[in-house]
Amino acid sequence: MENFLIMLLIVIISILQFTTTVSEMCNPQDKATLLQIKKELGHPAKLSSWDPTTDCCGKWVGVAACDNHTHRVTDLLLNQLDLYKPLYIPPSIFNLTSLSSIILASTPNLIGAIPPSITNLTNLTSLQIFKTGVSGEIPHTLWKIQTLSTIVFEQNKLTGPLPPSLSSLPNLFFLSLDYNQLTGTIPNSYGFFSKSLQMLSLSNNRLSGKIPPSLQKLKVKYVNLGQNSLEGDASMLFGSKKSTEVIFLGDNFLTFDFEKLGLGTNLQSVDLRNNRVYGKLPAGLTKLKLTALNVSNNNLCGQIPQGGKLQSFNESCYAHNKCLCGSPLTACRA
């Protein structure tokens, strides 16, 4: 009887060990790397669930997904980390070579430059760093991650020029670099993004100079170059054959004749406020299904065309022009 109980106990222990092994979804190497990341971040309370005795793929906050077959970590979300002092991006992150998505967000105490070793993540499709204290230049080697489809570097402290090589990413769909301190001109190469690019947003930076004519080739749905110091012509962003839906160019020093622009039928939102745009409002605006229009603080003249959505916008959207008149502004003089 005693031998039987001992044998039964051995069987039960074996079953429990096997069950534990099967239920452990996290690759041991990735698990060790994650624990090192936690250490490099000063053991923030937000990562208290990162317990070495539990499965990192099932119970660890921020480990958003693992591959069902390889058990490698594929999606990492580190958001609102309570860092006790300013710390750099943990270098160990770039040892998680199966990552397809990484988000570092809403952590002001995350500082320093984006390390060059980011190119180790050759499977990355989405790279998002926003609302942090990350500074320095955007790595010019990002083009090496040919799988990238989304780059979001918003509301950081990034400086320096726009990397011309970003346009060589064949699958890039979404590029947003808003609210940084980027300087210099828009590279000519940005007119040669692949057809996959649908959003280009470079607003609220310190970009200057002229918009390169090559941007006429863009096939994007959304373009935002507002709140910079760009000057000269912007007509290349418009066109009767373009499928662009949103064009934001407000708060620059742009100078062009609005009346002469071609307008694509998909255009829904246009912001030209606080520029030096002149001429008349195009009659073609009445044929568009506009949801937003702001041309205030320019040098526009003549009567606001009647019809379409133009009279649905309040007078502040047309105010402070050279001699613009007609509803919703005061009537034009006979």
Side-chain angles (χ1 to χ4, degrees), residues 220-286:
V220 296
K221 299 289 185 185
Y222 177 106
V223 59
N224 187 353
L225 307 180
Q227 290 77 52
N228 281 292
S229 296
L230 300 170
E231 60 187 51
D233 191 14
S235 61
M236 76 290 291
L237 298 173
F238 296 83
S240 58
K241 295 182 179 181
K242 282 186 170 287
S243 58
T244 310
E245 297 174 3
V246 175
I247 299 177
F248 290 161
L249 300 173
D251 295 292
N252 281 291
F253 303 105
L254 298 170
T255 306
F256 57 92
D257 188 341
F258 196 13
E259 187 180 18
K260 293 182 179 180
L261 298 185
L263 302 174
T265 57
N266 292 329
L267 198 56
Q268 299 175 16
S269 183
V270 179
D271 186 352
L272 300 176
R273 77 183 82 182
N274 300 321
N275 278 289
R276 298 167 180 172
V277 181
Y278 60 91
K280 297 180 179 180
L281 291 180
L285 288 172
T286 62

Side-chain angles (χ1 to χ4, degrees), residues 89-133:
I89 295 174
S92 295
I93 284 180
F94 308 114
N95 295 328
L96 295 172
T97 53
S98 291
L99 281 180
S100 63
S101 174
I102 181 169
I103 299 176
L104 306 175
S106 302
T107 305
N109 263 359
L110 192 66
I111 63 167
I114 301 171
S117 52
I118 194 170
T119 55
N120 292 347
L121 304 179
T122 55
N123 297 303
L124 207 60
T125 60
S126 179
L127 174 58
Q128 301 186 50
I129 302 174
F130 57 91
K131 293 184 179 180
T132 74

Side-chain angles (χ1 to χ4, degrees), residues 325 330-334:
C325 58
T330 57
C332 297
R333 295 180 181 179

Side-chain angles (χ1 to χ4, degrees), residues 38 46 50 52 57 73 85 114 126 129 131 134 137 151 180-182 229 237 242 301 305:
K38 179 181 179 181
K46 183 71 178 282
W50 290 25
C57 289
V73 176
K85 67 177 182 178
I114 301 171
S126 179
I129 302 174
K131 293 184 179 180
V134 169
E137 295 189 4
I151 298 175
N180 282 287
Q181 300 164 26
L182 301 171
S229 296
L237 298 173
K242 282 186 170 287
C301 228

Side-chain angles (χ1 to χ4, degrees), residues 136-332:
E137 295 189 4
I138 298 171
H140 287 250
T141 53
L142 279 182
W143 67 269
K144 293 182 178 181
I145 312 176
Q146 292 280 289
T147 50
L148 277 172
S149 62
T150 298
I151 298 175
V152 176
F153 294 155
E154 296 179 357
Q155 298 184 55
N156 300 298
K157 296 181 179 179
L158 296 171
T159 57
L162 297 169
S165 56
L166 289 181
S167 61
S168 65
L169 290 168
N171 303 304
L172 196 61
F173 176 83
F174 191 108
L175 175 61
S176 180
L177 309 176
D178 298 338
Y179 291 94
N180 282 287
Q181 300 164 26
L182 301 171
T183 56
T185 59
I186 298 173
N188 183 66
S189 61
Y190 280 29
F192 300 94
F193 279 102
S194 72
K195 293 181 180 179
S196 62
L197 188 72
Q198 294 298 299
M199 176 172 178
L200 176 64
S201 197
L202 310 174
S203 74
N204 289 274
N205 279 288
R206 299 173 183 174
L207 301 175
S208 58
K210 295 183 178 181
I211 300 172
S214 62
L215 265 62
Q216 183 178 12
K217 299 178 183 293
L218 286 178
K219 306 291 185 181
V220 296
K221 299 289 185 185
Y222 177 106
V223 59
N224 187 353
L225 307 180
Q227 290 77 52
N228 281 292
S229 296
L230 300 170
E231 60 187 51
D233 191 14
S235 61
M236 76 290 291
L237 298 173
F238 296 83
S240 58
K241 295 182 179 181
K242 282 186 170 287
S243 58
T244 310
E245 297 174 3
V246 175
I247 299 177
F248 290 161
L249 300 173
D251 295 292
N252 281 291
F253 303 105
L254 298 170
T255 306
F256 57 92
D257 188 341
F258 196 13
E259 187 180 18
K260 293 182 179 180
L261 298 185
L263 302 174
T265 57
N266 292 329
L267 198 56
Q268 299 175 16
S269 183
V270 179
D271 186 352
L272 300 176
R273 77 183 82 182
N274 300 321
N275 278 289
R276 298 167 180 172
V277 181
Y278 60 91
K280 297 180 179 180
L281 291 180
L285 288 172
T286 62
K287 299 178 181 179
L288 302 179
K289 296 179 180 179
L290 292 171
T291 58
L293 175 69
N294 196 321
V295 295
S296 62
N297 290 283
N298 279 288
N299 295 320
L300 294 165
C301 228
Q303 183 170 355
I304 298 171
Q306 300 295 301
K309 298 283 187 177
L310 296 188
Q311 277 64 54
S312 67
F313 305 116
N314 63 47
E315 60 183 71
S316 66
C317 297
Y318 301 101
H320 306 295
N321 273 284
K322 185 176 181 180
C323 50
L324 205 59
C325 58
S327 178
L329 298 179
T330 57
C332 297

